Amino acid sequence: MDSLKQRSRTRSLDIYLPFFHFRHVFALRPEQELTRSWGHRPRSTLVRAKTMAPPPPPLAASTPLLHGEFGSYPARGPRFALTLTSQALHIQRLRPKPEARPRGGLVPLAEVSGCCTLRSRSPSDSAAYFCIYTYPRSRRGSRRRTTRTFRTDGATTYEENRAEAQRWATALTCLLRGLPLPGDGEITPDLLPRPPRLLLLVNPFGGRGLAWQWCKNYVLPMISEAGLSFNLIQTERQNHARELVQGLSLSEWDGIVTVSGDGLLHEVLNGLLDRPDWEEAVKMPVGILPCGSGNALAGAVNQHGGFEPALGLDLLLNCSLLLCRGGGHPLDLLSVTLASGSRCFSFLSVAWGFVSDVDIQSERFRALGSARFTLGTVLGLATLHTYRGRLSYLPATVEPTSPTPVHSLPRAKSELTLTPDPAPPMAHSPLHRSVSDLPLPLPQPALASPGSPEPLPILSLNGGGPELAGDWGGAGDAPLSPDPLLSSPPGSPKTALHSPVTEGAPVIPPSSGLPPPTADARVAASTCGLPDHLLPPLGTPLPPDWVTLEGDFVLMLAISPSHLGADLVAAPHARFDDGLVHLCWVRSGISRAALLRLFLAMERGSQFSLGCPQLGYAAARAFRLEPLTPRGVLTVDGEQVEYGPLQAQMHPGLGTLLTGPPGCPGREP
């Protein structure tokens, strides 16, 4: 009788699956294995992507990997045929009434944060449950969190159903993290390494002061759904993050992620490069979740991931989805030598003139969030200044052609809390109280996820795991609970009962060389030993192969990635690892109306197509800027530095940026 039911179920799938026209469960062939990984490779092999062996050809988007029939929760709901491909989960209703043209039956993996397995709390229920968390775009364009729970009931025993649900959860997690699937079809949790361990640094004053609230309400639940392990530290002062990363035991972490604007990531990168082991430390993958005002790098990450331009909460959710997928990308860093001889590293921009004036003078409007730049631009146009100066640069070996343009979330209840089983404690270096004791509206002095490496108290993210019946169930439906065997892969470190954090001041390595903060130089100097082999000493003549421009300028901008702001594309053709610094300048003589048109066109990256004669561009490997006007403002990554001559050299692929998998720019999945 069981075999007869199974044959009947198979026939139903053959009849009501017009999408694919196949009749078997498919597995990856060996030559189709996926090779992108979140970053679980040994740290010694974390090298730049360009030095890695080329990956095999990607799977076709429609190649079926898994296929099966599932019920729904509650049990009396419809039945579905699920098909998993490398790009999406296809859902088709089979009963009670088959759908010839399914509505909403395509779930792109780009919208999935994670998945889990559940079991019923009713002893008589032999089914297992498979749940996925998604963030689709609504009709208004914003993302809303949804969950889909499917009942695995094809076998008579719970153990068999659990193994099937486990197989689907493992396959989907591997696809989300870019891990290879085996060619023999044996998909078990052993394929999953331990969860990636992230250090989250939150600036509570970022943007309009909403960084902590957004982090707590959106970021932490999403990365918990993805099965990532984390510790969270709230920064308390300027250069706090810089001091923190100088004293970290980096071997305990797989990435450092800032939840703020661009300034906090600037501190992290310069702190890594100030360590005695800077050559290894700078390989630590870093990421950014935008909760600041400018969010320029996040805008470039959002474009790299293939999402439509976004601002505010939508940008944060897009970047959080990409972070859940993992995947590092080489990041160029610009070494900037200031007039005093001190040096700092930039991942974003060096600005002089109109851009830096607006950036610094709009600080008093920080409470407005990103709108501060709009107001600052209007005020800057009303008092437009020109600056006398000299710009010299070393042209790129292959000069690129003229730049061309590139074409509120309600929080639903979670259906589960991923809670790993307890295990014996692990020894880790503690974070000191002055670093990790957070002034949070919570009883815990710090926040950590299960499996985090640092000995910090544990906080349940989803209120102790609300029962699924509260959201979806009806009368007579037993609530579901997390399956402890499926919450984390075998062999992964479990949560331990941690001891309190240690009292005392943060320990800074003696060689860190941190100077005291000054009013004139808000960016601390770097003592990194990386040589700038393209730069002669500041103040000495330049080599003959350099190009020099002198005159009156309205602005000068040296930028590494594509974006100057979340919605400002200054160098539309730039990449994270092109090894170039993109120089843009506007000479005097431009009208206020023409300058405004340039910035409006920058929202689409089309400013170079306007034919403005005062607008100039060059791709360079190094440059020198010599202001000849006695007063002015210079900024590095949006932070003010000492005014005077400076020079900079690009160091290709020096850092690693967590970007998620690449997408097709300008096209939503």
Side-chain angles (χ1 to χ4, degrees), residues 577-666:
D577 62 342
D578 58 13
L580 302 175
V581 55
H582 303 272
L583 302 176
C584 307
W585 62 85
V586 175
R587 291 183 178 271
S588 63
I590 189 172
S591 66
R592 290 178 172 85
L595 185 60
L596 179 59
R597 283 195 296 270
L598 284 180
F599 278 91
L600 292 176
M602 201 178 293
E603 295 181 1
R604 304 178 301 276
S606 60
Q607 65 272 21
F608 295 101
S609 64
L610 296 180
C612 177
Q614 291 84 14
L615 176 63
Y617 168 83
R621 300 169 60 198
F623 73 93
R624 176 184 289 181
L625 175 62
E626 301 170 273
L628 303 179
T629 303
R631 291 186 179 181
V633 175
L634 285 169
T635 58
V636 175
D637 293 352
E639 300 295 330
Q640 187 172 358
V641 297
E642 60 182 285
Y643 188 70
L646 62 78
Q647 61 184 15
Q649 172 185 329
M650 182 59 74
H651 292 276
L654 184 61
T656 302
L657 180 65
L658 293 171
T659 60
C664 181

Side-chain angles (χ1 to χ4, degrees), residues 540-557:
T540 62
L542 292 168
D545 54 345
W546 284 55
V547 177
T548 298
L549 305 173
E550 183 173 339
D552 294 327
F553 296 88
V554 172
L555 67 86
M556 199 290 295
L557 176 68

Side-chain angles (χ1 to χ4, degrees), residues 506-593:
V507 177
I508 306 300
S511 60
S512 63
L514 290 175
T518 64
D520 294 332
R522 292 170 53 186
V523 174
S526 172
T527 59
C528 174
L530 181 66
D532 292 328
H533 63 282
L534 298 178
L535 297 176
L538 191 60
T540 62
L542 292 168
D545 54 345
W546 284 55
V547 177
T548 298
L549 305 173
E550 183 173 339
D552 294 327
F553 296 88
V554 172
L555 67 86
M556 199 290 295
L557 176 68
I559 190 166
S560 302
S562 56
H563 285 56
L564 181 60
D567 56 347
L568 292 178
V569 186
H573 57 300
R575 303 189 311 272
F576 297 120
D577 62 342
D578 58 13
L580 302 175
V581 55
H582 303 272
L583 302 176
C584 307
W585 62 85
V586 175
R587 291 183 178 271
S588 63
I590 189 172
S591 66
R592 290 178 172 85

Side-chain angles (χ1 to χ4, degrees), residues 230-300:
F230 68 90
N231 270 105
L232 182 147
I233 297 176
Q234 190 171 1
T235 59
E236 301 169 354
R237 61 186 182 278
Q238 186 178 351
N239 282 323
H240 187 181
R242 180 179 183 136
E243 298 168 5
L244 172 62
V245 300
Q246 286 176 325
L248 280 180
S249 175
L250 296 180
S251 61
E252 297 178 353
W253 305 98
D254 296 301
I256 301 175
V257 179
T258 61
V259 187
S260 183
D262 297 310
L264 197 60
L265 185 59
H266 177 91
E267 290 188 19
V268 168
L269 286 169
N270 280 273
L272 293 173
L273 284 161
D274 259 349
R275 293 169 58 102
D277 60 344
W278 65 267
E279 291 180 273
E280 283 299 315
V282 75
K283 298 177 184 178
M284 168 63 66
V286 297
I288 188 167
L289 296 179
C291 289
S293 300
N295 303 321
L297 186 64

Side-chain angles (χ1 to χ4, degrees), residues 74-235:
R76 62 180 179 275
R79 298 194 67 81
F80 301 95
L82 301 187
T83 302
L84 181 64
T85 71
S86 62
Q87 300 295 324
L89 178 67
H90 301 261
I91 305 172
Q92 184 181 14
R93 190 177 68 191
L94 297 176
R95 291 194 292 272
K97 183 179 180 181
E99 294 176 307
R101 299 194 176 194
R103 294 169 296 176
L106 179 67
V107 180
L109 297 191
E111 296 178 349
V112 178
S113 62
C115 63
C116 71
T117 54
L118 301 150
R119 68 173 303 175
S120 173
R121 293 180 183 173
S122 172
S124 61
D125 189 354
S126 63
Y129 296 84
F130 169 55
C131 176
I132 63 172
Y133 299 96
T134 66
Y135 289 79
R137 291 170 63 95
S138 66
R139 292 181 179 179
R140 296 182 178 180
S142 59
R143 295 196 181 275
R144 297 177 60 92
R145 177 185 181 272
T146 63
T147 58
R148 300 291 298 265
T149 303
F150 302 98
R151 175 185 173 97
T152 308
D153 54 5
T156 57
T157 65
Y158 170 72
E159 287 71 19
E160 293 175 293
N161 289 325
R162 181 189 64 179
E164 180 65 9
Q166 193 174 20
R167 188 165 73 108
W168 278 77
T170 301
L172 181 56
T173 301
C174 286
L175 291 176
L176 291 175
R177 296 186 184 175
L179 299 171
L181 289 172
D184 57 6
E186 292 295 326
I187 302 175
T188 65
D190 294 331
L191 296 174
L192 300 175
R194 63 164 175 78
R197 299 185 292 205
L198 301 179
L199 176 61
L200 302 182
L201 302 179
V202 182
N203 174 15
F205 306 105
R208 293 177 294 168
L210 297 175
W212 165 242
Q213 196 70 24
W214 282 7
C215 180
K216 182 176 64 172
N217 292 345
Y218 305 107
V219 174
L220 300 187
M222 188 183 292
I223 64 176
S224 296
E225 293 161 2
L228 306 183
S229 174
F230 68 90
N231 270 105
L232 182 147
I233 297 176
Q234 190 171 1
T235 59

